[in-house]
Every structure is written in C-alpha cells, then in structure tokens.
Amino acid sequence: MSWSSAKPWVVVAAGSSGWVTVAAALAAAGGDRVAAVVIGDDAANLLRTCATTYVAVPVADRADDAVRIAEALVPTHDRVIVTAPGGLLAPLGGFTLADVAWALRAPVVVAADADAVNDVRLTLEVLERRHVPAAVVAVGPAGDLNDLPVTLGGELPADAADRPDFAERSREWLDPLLAERPEPAKRAVTGKRVAVAVLILVVAALQALYMITLFTDGEATIEPENRAVVGYAEARPARPVPPTPAAAPCVPARAGTVPLTPDAATTARVNAAWTRIEAGLAAKAPLTAASLRPGADPAHLRAMQALTGVQFPADLAASLLRHDGAQPRAGFEFPPFHRYLGLDEIYTEWLSSCRAIGGSRADGTWWHRLFVPFAAAGDGGSLLVDQRPGMGGRVGDFVPEEGTRFGNRPPSFLALLEAVATSLETGSPYRPAALPDGTLDWL
C-alpha cells in the first residue's frame, strides 16, 4: 500500500470531532476533482463544499457498497476520500472503517487532538496489525501527539473549519506527502479509458462479492527502515472480516451495460426546456432558480451508470449534464413536491430502495432495480424512470405504502420537463405558486 492517489484514502477520528475538518482539508488540497464518500452521515457541509463529488452511503450490514463506490470514482478523480463519523472500529452496521480500509488497500489518515494520544496509539496498533499505513493529522495544537512513533502528517488550527480561507490554507497545514497534487499528465483520462476502467472495477466487484479470502494470523517484526517519512510501518495483516455478499437485486447484474451519452437532438430539446424553466424561475422564484446545480461531468455520468448497471434514458442523461440536480435548501422540485436529484443522490436513493425493497416484487410492480429515481419527496417517495426492456423510460411515481404507479405522469422525463416549462409560462397543466421568500411551490 502507498499514499498514491491511485487508491482511495480513509479518514478516521481518534478522540477528535475534527474528522470532517481533516477530510475537507485533504479534499481542498487534493486536486481539481476530489470525491468524498461519507458512510452514514450526510451533514458534512464543509466536506461537501470542498469535494467535487459527494456521495452519502447509507449504513448497512456490509462494507462492499462503500468500497465499490470508492473504487469506481478513482479513475475520474484526483483523490477519493472515504470517511464516517466515529473511530476506526466504531460499528457501521455490520462493518467498520477498518474493514473498508483493508478492502480498499487504502492508507488511513487519523484525525486527532492532543488529548487523544491513547486513542491514537490504539488506532495505530490496529492499523499496524492489519498492514494498513497511517498518518496522523492534529486538529489544534499537537502537544503530546509529537511523541507518537510517526511523523505528524499535518497540524490544522483548532478554528480551521471557521476560517474563510480554509481551502487556500489547507495545503500549508498538511505535510507535502498528503497535500501533493497529482501531475496533470497523470490525471488525463479519456472517456474511453474511464468507461473501460469503471467496467473493470464493476466486474471485479461482482467477482469479489462471491469470494472469501482467508488470511492466516501472524505477527511480524517491524524494521525501522520500513517506516515512511509520514506513515506507520506495515506488518502482516490480522484476519480481515470479509464483506457479506450483496443482496441479489442490488448487484449490477448488467455489468456489461454501455453507459449512455445523450444524442444531439435529445440534448437540444432538453436544453430548450431548461432554458424556459430557468427564465420562469428567475422571474418568479429567484431563490429556487439559484438552487440549480451546474451540469455533471460526463465521466461522472458514465461512472454512475456503470456502477448501477442501469443505462439512463437519453433525456435524463442530458438533463443531468445541464443541471446535476438542485441544492436541498429551496431546491427546484417537480410537481407536486419532488426535489430534483443529482447523480450522487440518485445513486444513494437507488441503493437505499434497492436494498430495502428491490426484491419485494420480482415483476417490478413495487420497485425494480432498473428503475432510476430522479426526484425525491420528503416522505420517502420518488419519481423515477422505468428502464426495464420495452418500457421506454416511462415516468413512474413510487409511494412507500403503495408501490410504483404508472400512467399518472407524462410518458417520459423530457415530456415532464417540457410540461413544467409550459406550466411556468401558462399556469397549466401544473399550477406554480411563487412565494414571498423567492421560492416556488406547486399547488
């Protein structure tokens, strides 16, 4: 294992609540495109701001979801950071961050404060036994952390998260090994290479889900010359906890699916509809207009399709390239109250539904793994497109207590988008209501 950006890095807390600050500093210093995979927590606002791509993974009973997502993001990002609240061995359903680090062959950055030396030493001991290199980054004055058997990988001010120049200062607070940006030539990835890399990762993940590798217990003598400038010396691993095989409906069964790039004609119609919507929102609800995010990176769009094994319809793909969803606060909604989701949120919604109810009805009358949710309601419901063969990307309405209904929505995502644009202009077929605070509601 090494500190190369060719593999994800895992950030853990050791007696410190500064794990978000450390992860955000690594993201800010990590290059032009940094992905953050956060397990069981979607409130890391500083990290969300510093990362180009932010994926929240629900806590469940296995580690392979986070592992598969992180590996799929590596080819299209300068750095991928995986983290979660709690320490290295804090329970995350049926696994821990130690299991994730081992499965990813990833180095670990330990976020610590001066009062947590005992916790840090215990964390380093566990990592040493699992053959995982580690660096320690202090949050606040280092104090007794300087006496650790590793060179500190950085020292962040206690108020770092509150500083307006946080992103610019992050590199100077970190050791050069952790703050070094990849060379541009090393980051150049063509669309074809991205697709091939993601496909290989997905196939490898599928194979790994059904294999268990056992390692013999043992101890190793740690020689001083094995110790890196920043990092803990490596030893023979203890027996890891193998990932539990994923539930069948959530495995990308169609790993050979070719990710779709929308055609020019569809893209033109989608962009025309969005131009009308943007104009209507600017006039009626400027706060909601501002909630629309910039377009997604095409490589990210291809990666998410490969990750789910579902080819998105051309109209939805073109829409995501125009606007990668809407911010949660005052976010743009499809009638009546479904907020438009970005790629990372689509995957989170898809994975949650797939794991909870994906196998409840094999015929898809309740929910199917080839559904792509693109908008979510606060009650757990969603609007989705049906990508099962022969269904033509029709729009459905999933209600948790009732299942998925079709026929009460426009026949396609593009038809829905154009109906929204018309409604903002004429008040029909949906009735928009501009609120005094600059947001839009649907009556």
Side-chain angles (χ1 to χ4, degrees), residues 39-419:
I39 306 169
D41 184 271
D42 197 23
N45 293 329
L46 179 63
L47 179 54
R48 182 187 289 276
T49 300
C50 294
T52 311
T53 300
Y54 185 101
V55 183
V57 182
V59 172
D61 59 357
R62 61 181 182 276
D64 54 274
D65 292 329
V67 169
R68 190 152 46 87
I69 293 168
E71 289 179 332
L73 292 172
V74 167
T76 58
H77 291 79
D78 298 324
R79 179 172 296 163
V80 177
I81 297 168
V82 183
T83 189
L88 182 70
L89 298 179
L92 299 170
F95 65 97
T96 66
L97 275 176
D99 299 324
V100 173
W102 173 253
L104 287 170
R105 290 291 197 271
V108 170
V109 179
V110 182
D113 56 47
D115 297 329
V117 174
N118 185 62
D119 290 339
V120 174
R121 287 183 177 275
L122 291 174
T123 297
L124 293 176
E125 182 176 347
V126 171
L127 292 171
E128 177 187 345
R129 291 178 60 83
R130 291 194 176 215
H131 200 57
V132 177
V136 177
V137 174
V139 181
D144 292 340
L145 294 175
N146 287 311
D147 297 330
L148 292 171
V150 294
T151 303
L152 282 181
E155 187 172 340
L156 275 60
D159 64 344
D162 299 322
R163 296 195 179 188
D165 59 349
F166 175 85
E168 293 76 16
R169 300 286 302 278
S170 291
R171 294 192 70 195
E172 68 183 68
W173 295 331
L174 297 169
D175 185 279
L177 180 65
L178 300 182
E180 183 179 2
R181 291 173 179 259
E183 294 293 333
K186 296 179 181 179
R187 294 192 280 111
V189 182
T190 65
K192 182 176 180 180
R193 288 175 62 194
V194 170
V196 171
V198 171
L199 181 60
I200 291 173
L201 288 172
V202 172
V203 172
L206 286 171
Q207 294 173 340
L209 294 176
Y210 298 100
M211 298 177 62
I212 297 177
T213 303
L214 299 179
F215 296 83
T216 57
D217 292 320
E219 299 292 338
T221 301
I222 305 171
E223 300 296 337
E225 59 269 24
N226 289 339
R227 207 177 287 277
V229 176
V230 176
Y232 210 65
E234 301 180 4
R236 186 174 299 173
R239 187 188 305 275
V241 179
T244 304
C250 303
V251 176
R254 299 196 298 165
T257 295
V258 178
L260 179 138
T261 300
D263 59 277
T266 301
T267 299
R269 283 188 63 185
V270 167
N271 286 340
W274 270 119
T275 297
R276 295 164 60 197
I277 292 172
E278 291 159 3
L281 292 177
K284 300 176 184 295
L287 192 58
T288 297
S291 76
L292 291 169
R293 299 182 180 122
D297 185 276
H300 190 195
L301 174 63
R302 291 191 292 271
M304 283 299 174
Q305 291 178 82
L307 194 60
T308 60
V310 185
Q311 188 183 76
F312 291 8
D315 48 9
L316 177 58
S319 179
L320 290 164
L321 293 176
R322 175 76 174 218
H323 289 297
D324 189 20
Q327 298 287 353
R329 182 175 180 271
F332 170 77
E333 295 180 341
F334 289 98
F337 41 66
H338 293 79
R339 182 175 64 86
Y340 179 38
L341 302 177
L343 278 170
D344 300 333
E345 295 167 311
I346 286 174
Y347 182 80
T348 300
E349 187 77 18
W350 177 88
L351 182 63
S352 298
S353 297
C354 199
R355 298 187 63 170
I357 55 179
S360 57
R361 295 285 181 86
D363 60 359
T365 57
W366 198 266
W367 202 89
H368 196 279
R369 67 170 310 279
L370 296 181
F371 290 167
V372 182
F374 63 85
D379 62 357
S382 63
L383 298 181
L384 53 84
V385 288
D386 186 355
Q387 284 299 90
R388 291 176 296 174
M391 296 303 176
R394 61 179 179 169
V395 176
D397 192 345
F398 170 70
V399 179
E401 297 81 9
E402 302 174 16
T404 304
R405 300 172 296 180
F406 295 97
N408 58 337
R409 297 282 179 180
S412 67
F413 177 84
L414 178 55
L416 174 61
L417 201 65
E418 292 176 333

